[in-house]
mmCIF file of all heavy atoms in Angstrom:
data_model
loop_
_atom_site.group_PDB
_atom_site.id
_atom_site.type_symbol
_atom_site.label_atom_id
_atom_site.label_comp_id
_atom_site.label_asym_id
_atom_site.label_seq_id
_atom_site.Cartn_x
_atom_site.Cartn_y
_atom_site.Cartn_z
ATOM 1 N N GLY A 97 -18.092 -11.231 6.327
ATOM 2 C CA GLY A 97 -19.446 -10.724 6.523
ATOM 3 C C GLY A 97 -19.656 -9.259 6.207
ATOM 4 O O GLY A 97 -20.682 -8.685 6.590
ATOM 5 N N MET A 98 -18.723 -8.635 5.520
ATOM 6 C CA MET A 98 -18.895 -7.230 5.167
ATOM 7 C C MET A 98 -19.793 -7.101 3.934
ATOM 8 O O MET A 98 -19.943 -8.041 3.148
ATOM 9 C CB MET A 98 -17.541 -6.556 4.900
ATOM 10 C CG MET A 98 -16.649 -6.430 6.117
ATOM 11 S SD MET A 98 -15.159 -5.439 5.806
ATOM 12 C CE MET A 98 -15.868 -3.780 5.653
ATOM 13 N N VAL A 99 -20.389 -5.932 3.774
ATOM 14 C CA VAL A 99 -21.236 -5.657 2.610
ATOM 15 C C VAL A 99 -20.641 -4.499 1.829
ATOM 16 O O VAL A 99 -19.811 -3.733 2.341
ATOM 17 C CB VAL A 99 -22.689 -5.324 3.028
ATOM 18 C CG1 VAL A 99 -23.328 -6.514 3.728
ATOM 19 C CG2 VAL A 99 -22.734 -4.088 3.926
ATOM 20 N N GLN A 100 -21.051 -4.385 0.597
ATOM 21 C CA GLN A 100 -20.530 -3.327 -0.267
ATOM 22 C C GLN A 100 -20.757 -1.961 0.351
ATOM 23 O O GLN A 100 -21.831 -1.668 0.871
ATOM 24 C CB GLN A 100 -21.193 -3.382 -1.639
ATOM 25 C CG GLN A 100 -20.609 -2.408 -2.650
ATOM 26 C CD GLN A 100 -21.236 -2.559 -4.024
ATOM 27 O OE1 GLN A 100 -22.296 -3.182 -4.168
ATOM 28 N NE2 GLN A 100 -20.598 -1.993 -5.036
ATOM 29 N N ASN A 101 -19.717 -1.124 0.320
ATOM 30 C CA ASN A 101 -19.729 0.266 0.799
ATOM 31 C C ASN A 101 -19.696 0.399 2.315
ATOM 32 O O ASN A 101 -19.812 1.507 2.845
ATOM 33 C CB ASN A 101 -20.940 1.046 0.252
ATOM 34 C CG ASN A 101 -20.964 1.060 -1.267
ATOM 35 O OD1 ASN A 101 -19.927 1.121 -1.910
ATOM 36 N ND2 ASN A 101 -22.154 1.003 -1.845
ATOM 37 N N GLN A 102 -19.492 -0.713 3.036
ATOM 38 C CA GLN A 102 -19.372 -0.657 4.489
ATOM 39 C C GLN A 102 -18.030 -0.047 4.877
ATOM 40 O O GLN A 102 -17.016 -0.260 4.213
ATOM 41 C CB GLN A 102 -19.496 -2.062 5.064
ATOM 42 C CG GLN A 102 -19.450 -2.132 6.589
ATOM 43 C CD GLN A 102 -19.639 -3.549 7.102
ATOM 44 O OE1 GLN A 102 -20.147 -4.426 6.393
ATOM 45 N NE2 GLN A 102 -19.205 -3.802 8.334
ATOM 46 N N ALA A 103 -18.016 0.701 5.969
ATOM 47 C CA ALA A 103 -16.782 1.316 6.444
ATOM 48 C C ALA A 103 -15.878 0.281 7.101
ATOM 49 O O ALA A 103 -16.345 -0.619 7.809
ATOM 50 C CB ALA A 103 -17.096 2.426 7.436
ATOM 51 N N PHE A 104 -14.584 0.401 6.862
ATOM 52 C CA PHE A 104 -13.613 -0.393 7.602
ATOM 53 C C PHE A 104 -13.496 0.178 9.020
ATOM 54 O O PHE A 104 -13.834 1.345 9.268
ATOM 55 C CB PHE A 104 -12.244 -0.346 6.925
ATOM 56 C CG PHE A 104 -12.216 -0.965 5.554
ATOM 57 C CD1 PHE A 104 -11.851 -0.213 4.454
ATOM 58 C CD2 PHE A 104 -12.544 -2.304 5.370
ATOM 59 C CE1 PHE A 104 -11.810 -0.774 3.185
ATOM 60 C CE2 PHE A 104 -12.517 -2.878 4.102
ATOM 61 C CZ PHE A 104 -12.150 -2.106 3.008
ATOM 62 N N GLN A 105 -12.998 -0.632 9.939
ATOM 63 C CA GLN A 105 -12.818 -0.145 11.310
ATOM 64 C C GLN A 105 -11.826 1.015 11.345
ATOM 65 O O GLN A 105 -11.953 1.936 12.151
ATOM 66 C CB GLN A 105 -12.353 -1.281 12.215
ATOM 67 C CG GLN A 105 -13.423 -2.325 12.476
ATOM 68 C CD GLN A 105 -13.022 -3.330 13.537
ATOM 69 O OE1 GLN A 105 -11.993 -3.196 14.208
ATOM 70 N NE2 GLN A 105 -13.840 -4.362 13.708
ATOM 71 N N LYS A 106 -10.828 0.971 10.486
ATOM 72 C CA LYS A 106 -9.889 2.076 10.325
ATOM 73 C C LYS A 106 -9.423 2.083 8.874
ATOM 74 O O LYS A 106 -9.473 1.041 8.199
ATOM 75 C CB LYS A 106 -8.697 1.933 11.278
ATOM 76 C CG LYS A 106 -7.847 0.705 11.031
ATOM 77 C CD LYS A 106 -6.666 0.657 11.991
ATOM 78 C CE LYS A 106 -5.782 -0.563 11.685
ATOM 79 N NZ LYS A 106 -4.607 -0.624 12.590
ATOM 80 N N PRO A 107 -8.979 3.215 8.372
ATOM 81 C CA PRO A 107 -8.539 3.273 6.972
ATOM 82 C C PRO A 107 -7.393 2.302 6.701
ATOM 83 O O PRO A 107 -6.508 2.106 7.538
ATOM 84 C CB PRO A 107 -8.081 4.729 6.806
ATOM 85 C CG PRO A 107 -8.834 5.484 7.857
ATOM 86 C CD PRO A 107 -8.948 4.541 9.018
ATOM 87 N N LEU A 108 -7.440 1.682 5.530
ATOM 88 C CA LEU A 108 -6.413 0.731 5.113
ATOM 89 C C LEU A 108 -5.524 1.370 4.045
ATOM 90 O O LEU A 108 -6.001 2.116 3.189
ATOM 91 C CB LEU A 108 -7.048 -0.530 4.525
ATOM 92 C CG LEU A 108 -8.087 -1.273 5.363
ATOM 93 C CD1 LEU A 108 -8.584 -2.497 4.606
ATOM 94 C CD2 LEU A 108 -7.521 -1.679 6.720
ATOM 95 N N ILE A 109 -4.245 1.052 4.092
ATOM 96 C CA ILE A 109 -3.331 1.466 3.035
ATOM 97 C C ILE A 109 -3.099 0.270 2.119
ATOM 98 O O ILE A 109 -2.606 -0.772 2.562
ATOM 99 C CB ILE A 109 -2.004 1.993 3.604
ATOM 100 C CG1 ILE A 109 -2.246 3.309 4.338
ATOM 101 C CG2 ILE A 109 -0.991 2.183 2.491
ATOM 102 C CD1 ILE A 109 -0.986 3.983 4.836
ATOM 103 N N THR A 110 -3.501 0.421 0.857
ATOM 104 C CA THR A 110 -3.388 -0.658 -0.121
ATOM 105 C C THR A 110 -2.630 -0.126 -1.333
ATOM 106 O O THR A 110 -3.234 0.265 -2.320
ATOM 107 C CB THR A 110 -4.779 -1.179 -0.526
ATOM 108 O OG1 THR A 110 -5.539 -0.104 -1.103
ATOM 109 C CG2 THR A 110 -5.532 -1.714 0.684
ATOM 110 N N PRO A 111 -1.304 -0.115 -1.289
ATOM 111 C CA PRO A 111 -0.516 0.525 -2.344
ATOM 112 C C PRO A 111 -0.629 -0.212 -3.687
ATOM 113 O O PRO A 111 -1.021 -1.381 -3.753
ATOM 114 C CB PRO A 111 0.921 0.442 -1.816
ATOM 115 C CG PRO A 111 0.799 0.070 -0.366
ATOM 116 C CD PRO A 111 -0.465 -0.702 -0.245
ATOM 117 N N THR A 112 -0.276 0.507 -4.746
ATOM 118 C CA THR A 112 -0.115 -0.121 -6.048
ATOM 119 C C THR A 112 1.213 0.339 -6.640
ATOM 120 O O THR A 112 1.734 1.395 -6.286
ATOM 121 C CB THR A 112 -1.232 0.253 -7.039
ATOM 122 O OG1 THR A 112 -1.131 1.637 -7.377
ATOM 123 C CG2 THR A 112 -2.599 -0.026 -6.450
ATOM 124 N N THR A 113 1.729 -0.494 -7.535
ATOM 125 C CA THR A 113 2.871 -0.043 -8.316
ATOM 126 C C THR A 113 2.372 1.007 -9.300
ATOM 127 O O THR A 113 1.196 1.030 -9.667
ATOM 128 C CB THR A 113 3.477 -1.219 -9.102
ATOM 129 O OG1 THR A 113 2.478 -1.758 -9.986
ATOM 130 C CG2 THR A 113 3.968 -2.288 -8.167
ATOM 131 N N LYS A 114 3.262 1.891 -9.720
ATOM 132 C CA LYS A 114 2.882 2.912 -10.692
ATOM 133 C C LYS A 114 3.514 2.540 -12.021
ATOM 134 O O LYS A 114 4.701 2.772 -12.244
ATOM 135 C CB LYS A 114 3.330 4.299 -10.231
ATOM 136 C CG LYS A 114 2.834 5.400 -11.158
ATOM 137 C CD LYS A 114 2.942 6.762 -10.509
ATOM 138 C CE LYS A 114 2.528 7.852 -11.478
ATOM 139 N NZ LYS A 114 1.182 7.648 -12.030
ATOM 140 N N ALA A 115 2.703 1.950 -12.894
ATOM 141 C CA ALA A 115 3.208 1.455 -14.166
ATOM 142 C C ALA A 115 3.327 2.583 -15.176
ATOM 143 O O ALA A 115 2.466 3.457 -15.253
ATOM 144 C CB ALA A 115 2.286 0.369 -14.709
ATOM 145 N N ALA A 116 4.409 2.564 -15.957
ATOM 146 C CA ALA A 116 4.569 3.536 -17.039
ATOM 147 C C ALA A 116 3.538 3.291 -18.121
ATOM 148 O O ALA A 116 3.071 4.217 -18.792
ATOM 149 C CB ALA A 116 5.977 3.448 -17.619
ATOM 150 N N ALA A 117 3.154 2.027 -18.298
ATOM 151 C CA ALA A 117 2.121 1.671 -19.254
ATOM 152 C C ALA A 117 1.430 0.422 -18.739
ATOM 153 O O ALA A 117 2.005 -0.387 -18.014
ATOM 154 C CB ALA A 117 2.722 1.424 -20.634
ATOM 155 N N GLY A 118 0.150 0.260 -19.107
ATOM 156 C CA GLY A 118 -0.582 -0.914 -18.663
ATOM 157 C C GLY A 118 -1.141 -0.735 -17.256
ATOM 158 O O GLY A 118 -1.274 0.369 -16.757
ATOM 159 N N HIS A 119 -1.448 -1.862 -16.632
ATOM 160 C CA HIS A 119 -2.147 -1.844 -15.352
ATOM 161 C C HIS A 119 -1.191 -1.654 -14.172
ATOM 162 O O HIS A 119 -0.122 -2.263 -14.118
ATOM 163 C CB HIS A 119 -2.922 -3.160 -15.159
ATOM 164 C CG HIS A 119 -4.103 -3.307 -16.055
ATOM 165 N ND1 HIS A 119 -5.326 -2.736 -15.789
ATOM 166 C CD2 HIS A 119 -4.241 -3.943 -17.247
ATOM 167 C CE1 HIS A 119 -6.184 -3.021 -16.750
ATOM 168 N NE2 HIS A 119 -5.546 -3.751 -17.650
ATOM 169 N N ASP A 120 -1.588 -0.804 -13.219
ATOM 170 C CA ASP A 120 -0.912 -0.763 -11.930
ATOM 171 C C ASP A 120 -1.252 -2.056 -11.181
ATOM 172 O O ASP A 120 -2.333 -2.620 -11.353
ATOM 173 C CB ASP A 120 -1.384 0.446 -11.111
ATOM 174 C CG ASP A 120 -1.080 1.775 -11.795
ATOM 175 O OD1 ASP A 120 -0.147 1.808 -12.616
ATOM 176 O OD2 ASP A 120 -1.778 2.760 -11.510
ATOM 177 N N LEU A 121 -0.349 -2.515 -10.333
ATOM 178 C CA LEU A 121 -0.537 -3.782 -9.637
ATOM 179 C C LEU A 121 -0.555 -3.565 -8.134
ATOM 180 O O LEU A 121 0.225 -2.777 -7.592
ATOM 181 C CB LEU A 121 0.576 -4.761 -10.008
ATOM 182 C CG LEU A 121 0.694 -5.130 -11.490
ATOM 183 C CD1 LEU A 121 1.924 -6.006 -11.715
ATOM 184 C CD2 LEU A 121 -0.567 -5.829 -11.983
ATOM 185 N N ASP A 122 -1.448 -4.288 -7.449
ATOM 186 C CA ASP A 122 -1.482 -4.243 -5.991
ATOM 187 C C ASP A 122 -0.157 -4.732 -5.423
ATOM 188 O O ASP A 122 0.456 -5.665 -5.951
ATOM 189 C CB ASP A 122 -2.612 -5.123 -5.457
ATOM 190 C CG ASP A 122 -3.996 -4.555 -5.737
ATOM 191 O OD1 ASP A 122 -4.087 -3.350 -6.062
ATOM 192 O OD2 ASP A 122 -4.977 -5.314 -5.642
ATOM 193 N N ILE A 123 0.262 -4.118 -4.323
ATOM 194 C CA ILE A 123 1.475 -4.524 -3.644
ATOM 195 C C ILE A 123 1.312 -4.207 -2.161
ATOM 196 O O ILE A 123 0.640 -3.238 -1.794
ATOM 197 C CB ILE A 123 2.722 -3.809 -4.237
ATOM 198 C CG1 ILE A 123 4.016 -4.391 -3.677
ATOM 199 C CG2 ILE A 123 2.644 -2.302 -4.034
ATOM 200 C CD1 ILE A 123 5.268 -3.881 -4.401
ATOM 201 N N SER A 124 1.872 -5.007 -1.299
ATOM 202 C CA SER A 124 1.762 -4.766 0.144
ATOM 203 C C SER A 124 2.942 -3.936 0.627
ATOM 204 O O SER A 124 3.975 -3.840 -0.032
ATOM 205 C CB SER A 124 1.724 -6.094 0.907
ATOM 206 O OG SER A 124 2.986 -6.742 0.822
ATOM 207 N N LEU A 125 2.781 -3.341 1.802
ATOM 208 C CA LEU A 125 3.876 -2.577 2.397
ATOM 209 C C LEU A 125 5.088 -3.469 2.650
ATOM 210 O O LEU A 125 6.235 -3.049 2.446
ATOM 211 C CB LEU A 125 3.406 -1.927 3.700
ATOM 212 C CG LEU A 125 2.375 -0.793 3.554
ATOM 213 C CD1 LEU A 125 1.854 -0.355 4.926
ATOM 214 C CD2 LEU A 125 2.978 0.400 2.822
ATOM 215 N N SER A 126 4.844 -4.707 3.067
ATOM 216 C CA SER A 126 5.974 -5.615 3.324
ATOM 217 C C SER A 126 6.702 -5.963 2.029
ATOM 218 O O SER A 126 7.938 -6.080 2.011
ATOM 219 C CB SER A 126 5.487 -6.890 4.025
ATOM 220 O OG SER A 126 4.571 -7.595 3.212
ATOM 221 N N GLU A 127 5.964 -6.105 0.935
ATOM 222 C CA GLU A 127 6.596 -6.380 -0.359
ATOM 223 C C GLU A 127 7.412 -5.184 -0.839
ATOM 224 O O GLU A 127 8.461 -5.347 -1.454
ATOM 225 C CB GLU A 127 5.533 -6.745 -1.400
ATOM 226 C CG GLU A 127 4.921 -8.120 -1.182
ATOM 227 C CD GLU A 127 3.715 -8.371 -2.078
ATOM 228 O OE1 GLU A 127 3.018 -7.394 -2.439
ATOM 229 O OE2 GLU A 127 3.468 -9.540 -2.408
ATOM 230 N N ILE A 128 6.920 -3.969 -0.552
ATOM 231 C CA ILE A 128 7.687 -2.766 -0.908
ATOM 232 C C ILE A 128 9.009 -2.756 -0.157
ATOM 233 O O ILE A 128 10.063 -2.452 -0.717
ATOM 234 C CB ILE A 128 6.874 -1.501 -0.595
ATOM 235 C CG1 ILE A 128 5.621 -1.427 -1.477
ATOM 236 C CG2 ILE A 128 7.732 -0.241 -0.817
ATOM 237 C CD1 ILE A 128 4.674 -0.303 -1.106
ATOM 238 N N ARG A 129 8.970 -3.098 1.140
ATOM 239 C CA ARG A 129 10.201 -3.133 1.947
ATOM 240 C C ARG A 129 11.185 -4.165 1.400
ATOM 241 O O ARG A 129 12.387 -3.905 1.286
ATOM 242 C CB ARG A 129 9.870 -3.443 3.411
ATOM 243 C CG ARG A 129 9.051 -2.358 4.106
ATOM 244 C CD ARG A 129 8.854 -2.652 5.575
ATOM 245 N NE ARG A 129 7.817 -1.816 6.157
ATOM 246 C CZ ARG A 129 7.995 -0.554 6.538
ATOM 247 N NH1 ARG A 129 9.196 0.003 6.405
ATOM 248 N NH2 ARG A 129 7.004 0.141 7.059
ATOM 249 N N LYS A 130 10.665 -5.344 1.043
ATOM 250 C CA LYS A 130 11.539 -6.403 0.527
ATOM 251 C C LYS A 130 12.155 -6.022 -0.811
ATOM 252 O O LYS A 130 13.301 -6.350 -1.095
ATOM 253 C CB LYS A 130 10.746 -7.709 0.398
ATOM 254 C CG LYS A 130 10.384 -8.357 1.721
ATOM 255 C CD LYS A 130 9.559 -9.621 1.492
ATOM 256 C CE LYS A 130 9.110 -10.240 2.816
ATOM 257 N NZ LYS A 130 8.236 -11.423 2.595
ATOM 258 N N SER A 131 11.380 -5.336 -1.653
ATOM 259 C CA SER A 131 11.861 -5.005 -2.992
ATOM 260 C C SER A 131 12.808 -3.823 -2.999
ATOM 261 O O SER A 131 13.475 -3.574 -4.001
ATOM 262 C CB SER A 131 10.676 -4.700 -3.905
ATOM 263 O OG SER A 131 10.007 -3.524 -3.469
ATOM 264 N N ARG A 132 12.831 -3.061 -1.899
ATOM 265 C CA ARG A 132 13.713 -1.886 -1.778
ATOM 266 C C ARG A 132 13.398 -0.823 -2.831
ATOM 267 O O ARG A 132 14.287 -0.100 -3.292
ATOM 268 C CB ARG A 132 15.187 -2.276 -1.854
ATOM 269 C CG ARG A 132 15.612 -3.373 -0.880
ATOM 270 C CD ARG A 132 15.329 -3.018 0.553
ATOM 271 N NE ARG A 132 16.113 -1.831 0.979
ATOM 272 C CZ ARG A 132 15.915 -1.188 2.123
ATOM 273 N NH1 ARG A 132 14.966 -1.584 2.956
ATOM 274 N NH2 ARG A 132 16.660 -0.138 2.425
ATOM 275 N N ILE A 133 12.124 -0.729 -3.214
ATOM 276 C CA ILE A 133 11.717 0.338 -4.137
ATOM 277 C C ILE A 133 12.030 1.696 -3.526
ATOM 278 O O ILE A 133 12.415 2.643 -4.217
ATOM 279 C CB ILE A 133 10.208 0.229 -4.442
ATOM 280 C CG1 ILE A 133 9.905 -1.097 -5.149
ATOM 281 C CG2 ILE A 133 9.738 1.405 -5.303
ATOM 282 C CD1 ILE A 133 8.428 -1.371 -5.317
ATOM 283 N N VAL A 134 11.898 1.768 -2.218
ATOM 284 C CA VAL A 134 12.163 2.998 -1.479
ATOM 285 C C VAL A 134 12.672 2.583 -0.102
ATOM 286 O O VAL A 134 12.406 1.469 0.360
ATOM 287 C CB VAL A 134 10.878 3.856 -1.398
ATOM 288 C CG1 VAL A 134 9.813 3.181 -0.556
ATOM 289 C CG2 VAL A 134 11.167 5.259 -0.877
ATOM 290 N N SER A 135 13.395 3.453 0.564
ATOM 291 C CA SER A 135 13.934 3.097 1.875
ATOM 292 C C SER A 135 12.818 2.947 2.909
ATOM 293 O O SER A 135 11.734 3.510 2.759
ATOM 294 C CB SER A 135 14.927 4.166 2.348
ATOM 295 O OG SER A 135 14.244 5.361 2.716
ATOM 296 N N ASP A 136 13.102 2.202 3.961
ATOM 297 C CA ASP A 136 12.111 2.031 5.032
ATOM 298 C C ASP A 136 11.733 3.371 5.643
ATOM 299 O O ASP A 136 10.563 3.610 5.983
ATOM 300 C CB ASP A 136 12.669 1.108 6.119
ATOM 301 C CG ASP A 136 12.746 -0.345 5.663
ATOM 302 O OD1 ASP A 136 12.210 -0.656 4.577
ATOM 303 O OD2 ASP A 136 13.346 -1.160 6.392
ATOM 304 N N LEU A 137 12.720 4.263 5.811
ATOM 305 C CA LEU A 137 12.451 5.570 6.404
ATOM 306 C C LEU A 137 11.465 6.362 5.558
ATOM 307 O O LEU A 137 10.483 6.921 6.077
ATOM 308 C CB LEU A 137 13.756 6.352 6.556
ATOM 309 C CG LEU A 137 13.618 7.791 7.091
ATOM 310 C CD1 LEU A 137 13.019 7.774 8.499
ATOM 311 C CD2 LEU A 137 14.971 8.501 7.092
ATOM 312 N N ILE A 138 11.688 6.417 4.244
ATOM 313 C CA ILE A 138 10.795 7.165 3.361
ATOM 314 C C ILE A 138 9.420 6.495 3.306
ATOM 315 O O ILE A 138 8.381 7.179 3.310
ATOM 316 C CB ILE A 138 11.400 7.287 1.947
ATOM 317 C CG1 ILE A 138 12.662 8.158 1.980
ATOM 318 C CG2 ILE A 138 10.390 7.871 0.976
ATOM 319 C CD1 ILE A 138 12.419 9.598 2.405
ATOM 320 N N LEU A 139 9.391 5.164 3.267
ATOM 321 C CA LEU A 139 8.105 4.459 3.243
ATOM 322 C C LEU A 139 7.306 4.749 4.503
ATOM 323 O O LEU A 139 6.081 4.956 4.442
ATOM 324 C CB LEU A 139 8.323 2.954 3.084
ATOM 325 C CG LEU A 139 7.055 2.115 2.985
ATOM 326 C CD1 LEU A 139 6.209 2.522 1.789
ATOM 327 C CD2 LEU A 139 7.406 0.617 2.910
ATOM 328 N N ASP A 140 7.966 4.772 5.653
ATOM 329 C CA ASP A 140 7.274 5.114 6.897
ATOM 330 C C ASP A 140 6.707 6.533 6.830
ATOM 331 O O ASP A 140 5.588 6.784 7.294
ATOM 332 C CB ASP A 140 8.222 4.980 8.088
ATOM 333 C CG ASP A 140 8.560 3.533 8.419
ATOM 334 O OD1 ASP A 140 7.830 2.631 7.958
ATOM 335 O OD2 ASP A 140 9.564 3.305 9.124
ATOM 336 N N GLN A 141 7.474 7.466 6.265
ATOM 337 C CA GLN A 141 6.987 8.840 6.117
ATOM 338 C C GLN A 141 5.783 8.878 5.180
ATOM 339 O O GLN A 141 4.791 9.580 5.447
ATOM 340 C CB GLN A 141 8.098 9.735 5.580
ATOM 341 C CG GLN A 141 9.232 9.992 6.562
ATOM 342 C CD GLN A 141 10.338 10.846 5.949
ATOM 343 O OE1 GLN A 141 10.198 11.383 4.852
ATOM 344 N NE2 GLN A 141 11.452 10.959 6.647
ATOM 345 N N MET A 142 5.860 8.149 4.070
ATOM 346 C CA MET A 142 4.746 8.113 3.117
ATOM 347 C C MET A 142 3.481 7.578 3.775
ATOM 348 O O MET A 142 2.381 8.107 3.564
ATOM 349 C CB MET A 142 5.127 7.252 1.905
ATOM 350 C CG MET A 142 6.204 7.856 1.008
ATOM 351 S SD MET A 142 6.877 6.661 -0.190
ATOM 352 C CE MET A 142 5.415 6.236 -1.141
ATOM 353 N N THR A 143 3.641 6.527 4.571
ATOM 354 C CA THR A 143 2.493 5.924 5.256
ATOM 355 C C THR A 143 1.872 6.914 6.242
ATOM 356 O O THR A 143 0.647 7.103 6.277
ATOM 357 C CB THR A 143 2.932 4.647 5.992
ATOM 358 O OG1 THR A 143 3.497 3.731 5.054
ATOM 359 C CG2 THR A 143 1.755 3.991 6.691
ATOM 360 N N ASP A 144 2.707 7.552 7.040
ATOM 361 C CA ASP A 144 2.231 8.508 8.040
ATOM 362 C C ASP A 144 1.536 9.701 7.377
ATOM 363 O O ASP A 144 0.430 10.098 7.785
ATOM 364 C CB ASP A 144 3.411 8.987 8.889
ATOM 365 C CG ASP A 144 2.998 9.997 9.942
ATOM 366 O OD1 ASP A 144 2.185 9.643 10.822
ATOM 367 O OD2 ASP A 144 3.479 11.155 9.881
#
């Protein structure tokens, strides 16, 4: 039931991969943890 430009209840973190070429792709925080792109400690710092 949300409408365009409506505020979320709190800010959302919606990461993307950073592609060298082409389109960046959506990825979740849990997928980042599973893929081990970065350590959990660093990811927690990035989120904070």
Side-chain angles (χ1 to χ4, degrees):
M98 293 188 71
V99 297
Q100 186 176 16
N101 302 324
Q102 183 178 341
F104 296 121
Q105 290 189 8
K106 63 178 182 179
L108 306 180
I109 292 185
T110 60
T112 68
T113 60
K114 185 164 176 55
H119 290 278
D120 299 336
L121 300 175
D122 289 344
I123 189 170
S124 69
L125 291 173
S126 62
E127 288 171 331
I128 295 172
R129 295 185 194 280
K130 289 178 184 176
S131 66
R132 307 303 297 170
I133 297 172
V134 67
S135 72
D136 288 351
L137 176 62
I138 293 297
L139 183 60
D140 289 343
Q141 290 178 9
M142 291 167 61
T143 302
D144 179 62

